[in-house]
Amino acid sequence: MSQPAFDVLRALAIGSQALGLIVIITLETLLESAARPWQGLTLGFMLAAALSIALVRVYRRNRQRKQQDQRLGNSRHE
């Protein structure tokens, strides 16, 4: 089975991490010493986004594997 040409989950992962990095750098530039708590919150959101995307990827992979097993099982019984 071939991989799709454009992987939406991969694009979301890269985009969320890039946006988080930009926010962290911007906070450091604008707030200087008061940026730490906001940077920590941003990092937390980045980690939550990465975890969510990873869970969706695992769910999709397992669902695809289950469907493939069902198709193979149905073709063996025919």
Side-chain angles (χ1 to χ4, degrees), residues 1-77:
M1 184 174 270
S2 66
Q3 294 292 330
F6 181 74
D7 187 359
V8 175
L9 290 178
R10 186 176 302 251
L12 280 174
I14 292 169
S16 68
Q17 299 302 303
L19 180 64
L21 181 62
I22 290 168
V23 169
I24 286 174
I25 291 170
T26 303
L27 287 169
E28 182 67 30
T29 302
L30 297 177
L31 300 178
E32 294 175 10
S33 62
R36 292 275 184 214
W38 295 108
Q39 288 174 328
L41 187 63
T42 302
L43 180 61
F45 283 131
M46 289 170 65
L47 292 172
L51 179 61
S52 299
I53 291 168
L55 288 174
V56 169
R57 183 176 297 280
V58 167
Y59 171 76
R60 285 184 179 179
R61 185 180 307 134
N62 287 344
R63 186 179 64 187
Q64 184 180 28
R65 206 174 282 151
K66 185 176 180 180
Q67 290 172 348
Q68 187 177 12
D69 288 347
Q70 287 175 348
R71 281 193 302 268
L72 288 174
N74 288 340
S75 66
R76 289 180 187 159
H77 293 292

